């Protein structure tokens, strides 16, 4: 495809980049800031504690992989966490919810891997801990996905979503609809309740 094909003389620069940026901002919800800040804080705390308690972390890794590859595994894991933190920080700065997905998916994969290793090693306390963290990140990913759907629905032009998607009346996929309904129900349960009127 030729760059600038179909452009009219004097029409000015192509609005495609602005449109892409607008689509990215369309799925950003203000609560994504809280999700992103949590991911950054969690990652930074993990890196700081790893540096401060390097010997303890090394002993923990040795319990899974043995003393030989333990140092390499720990360095690899912490280097991956640096990338996850950077992606989360970029997501907050650029207001792109898609950049929050790799950190959540990365930590989910890590906790799932250690949960499997816990089963093979018979470390049931570690298994419960890793499963709890895994469940928390699954909920966080689901929440972020629902917030994206909520922002997309709020930013869509009135009536534009009707009939635009075979999966849902609002132009959302069925998974987006499900996540949005779950968030709305949770908000209704935790939101302020109306006080009964005083009788005179």
């Amino acid at each position: 495809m030729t760059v600038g094909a179909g452009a009219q003389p004097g029409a000015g620069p192509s609005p495609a980049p602005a449109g892409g940026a607008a689509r990215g901002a369309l799925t950003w919800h203000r609560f994504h800031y809280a999700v992103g800040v949590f991911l950054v804080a969690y990652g930074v705390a993990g890196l700081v504690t790893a540096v401060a308690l390097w010997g303890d972390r090394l002993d923990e890794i040795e319990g899974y992989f043995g003393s030989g590859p333990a140092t390499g595994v720990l360095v690899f894991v912490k280097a991956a966490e640096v990338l996850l933190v950077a992606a989360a920080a970029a997501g907050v700065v650029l207001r792109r919810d898609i950049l929050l997905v790799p950190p959540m998916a990365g930590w989910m994969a890590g906790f799932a891997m250690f949960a499997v290793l816990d089963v093979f090693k018979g470390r049931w306390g570690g298994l419960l801990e890793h499963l709890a963290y895994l469940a928390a990140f699954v909920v966080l990913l689901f929440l972020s996905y629902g917030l994206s759907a909520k922002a997309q629905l709020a930013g869509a032009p009135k009536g534009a979503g009707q009939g635009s998607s075979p999966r849902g009346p609002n132009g959302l996929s069925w998974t987006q609809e499900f996540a949005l309904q779950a968030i709305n129900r949770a908000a209704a349960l935790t939101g302020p309740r109306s006080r009964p009127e005083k009788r005179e």
Side-chain angles (χ1 to χ4, degrees):
M1 182 175 178
T2 306
V3 177
Q8 298 297 326
S14 172
R23 282 192 295 273
L26 185 64
T27 57
W28 181 264
H29 193 277
R30 68 182 184 276
F31 289 153
H32 275 122
Y33 283 113
V35 175
V37 168
F38 169 79
L39 291 173
V40 172
Y42 177 82
V44 169
L47 293 172
V48 169
T49 55
V51 172
L53 304 172
W54 184 262
D56 294 340
R57 294 292 180 264
L58 201 57
D59 291 341
E60 184 178 355
I61 295 297
E62 285 178 0
Y64 290 107
F65 299 100
S67 58
T71 301
V73 170
L74 186 56
V75 169
F76 174 78
V77 168
K78 294 309 168 183
E81 285 188 3
V82 170
L83 296 178
L84 298 181
V85 171
V92 173
V93 172
L94 300 175
R95 299 178 67 222
R96 298 299 298 268
D97 59 305
I98 193 68
L99 292 176
L100 301 180
V101 175
M104 289 183 281
W107 275 304
M108 284 167 56
F111 288 125
M113 180 193 72
F114 278 108
V116 172
L117 291 173
D118 286 327
V119 172
F120 285 111
K121 294 290 184 177
R123 301 179 62 172
W124 308 118
L127 175 63
L128 292 177
E129 178 184 355
H130 290 135
L131 287 179
Y133 277 109
L134 176 60
F137 275 95
V138 168
V139 171
L140 191 64
L141 179 63
F142 185 78
L143 173 64
S144 178
Y145 187 65
L147 291 174
S148 300
K150 193 177 184 77
Q152 181 179 341
L153 186 61
K158 298 297 183 183
Q162 298 296 329
S164 62
S165 172
R167 296 184 178 180
N170 296 318
L172 303 175
S173 67
W174 68 271
T175 54
Q176 288 176 316
E177 292 278 359
F178 176 75
L180 188 59
Q181 290 175 5
I183 287 179
N184 289 338
R185 287 186 188 131
L189 290 175
T190 59
R193 298 180 180 177
S194 58
R195 296 180 180 178
E197 297 181 0
K198 294 181 179 180
R199 295 180 180 179
E200 295 184 2

